[in-house]
Amino acid sequence: MIHFITMALGGDGYLNFMGNEFGHPEWIDFPREGNNWSYDKCRRQWSLVDTDHLRYKYMNAFDQAMNALDERFSFLSSSKQIVSDMNDEEKVIVFERGDLVFVFNFHPKKTYEGYKVGCDLPGKYRVALDSDALVFGGHGRVGHDVDHFTSPEGVPGVPETNFNNRPNSFKVLSPPRTCVAYYRVDEAGAGRRLHAKAETGKTSPAESIDVKASRASSKEDKEATAGGKKGWKFARQPSDQDTK
C-alpha cells in the first residue's frame, strides 16, 4: 500500500531501491569508507522472490502490476491529481490521478460496504488493480466483474453542492488494509472498436476486457515468462491498435 500510494501521488515518476520491489529483508549497502569497506550488506538475495513457499513473490508481482497499470493508463504523466477524501476516523483516502480513481483503506480491521467515492466523469467503473487479489496473496474479497455505476451529485458546475467537490459518485467495497484502482469503461469507444474487429474476423462483439490480474496463459505471455519476465495480464482500455 505504501509503495502504491507513493507511486500514485508522488509526482510524475517513481523510483524504487534494489530489492525493495519484493521486500528484501535486509538493506543493501555497497562497500564504502562509511561502512569500513564492508561487504556484509552488499548481497542481494534474489532467490527469495523465486522461492514458491515464501511470500516475497506476491510483493514482486504487485510491483510489476503497478508499473503495468501506468503503462496501460499513463496516470503518472497526467497533471490531474485530486484528493477528494481523507477520512482520519475511517482511515480512508480517495483520490483521482489521470483517468483512475484510487481507494485506500488503511484501517486494520474495518471493511466498508457501499463506501461512497467521488469522481469526475459519469459512467461505469471497474477494477483496474486490486491489492487484495489472490494473485497478490490477498483474500479476493473485491469483485473484479462488478460494474460500479455513477450517480450525479449536486448542481453541475457548482462544486460546493457536489459530493466531496466531485460531480459524480459510485459505491465500492473496501476491505481493511487494501488499495484498489478503478477505471472508467469507455463503452461507446470499446463497442465501436470491438465491432470493427468483428467485421475483420479477429474477434466477436462479445469480447470483454479482463480486469483480473492473473498469471499469463497466452502463447505470447508464456514466451515472455520463458524469457525471464513474469507475464501478468491487467485491465486495460482497448486501443486504436486493436482495430488493425
Side-chain angles (χ1 to χ4, degrees), residues 84 94 101-103 115-119 163 168-172:
S84 60
V94 178
V101 179
F102 298 80
V103 181
Y115 193 87
K116 197 172 183 179
V117 174
C119 63
F163 175 74
N168 296 281
S169 70
F170 60 93
K171 295 182 178 180
V172 302

Side-chain angles (χ1 to χ4, degrees), residues 122-178:
K124 180 173 72 176
Y125 286 78
R126 279 197 164 194
V127 172
L129 180 59
D130 166 26
S131 69
D132 195 48
L134 296 175
V135 72
F136 303 132
H139 300 285
R141 291 165 289 188
V142 178
H144 291 188
D145 57 351
V146 176
D147 294 329
H148 303 272
F149 293 94
T150 60
S151 298
E153 296 288 344
V155 180
V158 186
E160 56 269 23
T161 67
N162 300 156
F163 175 74
N164 290 338
N165 290 326
R166 309 311 292 145
N168 296 281
S169 70
F170 60 93
K171 295 182 178 180
V172 302
L173 171 68
S174 181
R177 290 178 174 172
T178 62

Side-chain angles (χ1 to χ4, degrees), residues 212-242:
K212 293 184 179 179
S214 58
R215 278 199 180 276
S217 58
S218 69
K219 178 181 177 182
E220 292 80 3
D221 290 331
K222 288 180 179 178
E223 289 175 350
T225 303
K229 298 180 181 179
K230 295 186 176 180
W232 301 89
K233 292 164 63 182
F234 305 97
R236 71 182 182 90
Q237 296 282 27
S239 66
D240 292 335
Q241 295 295 325
D242 293 334

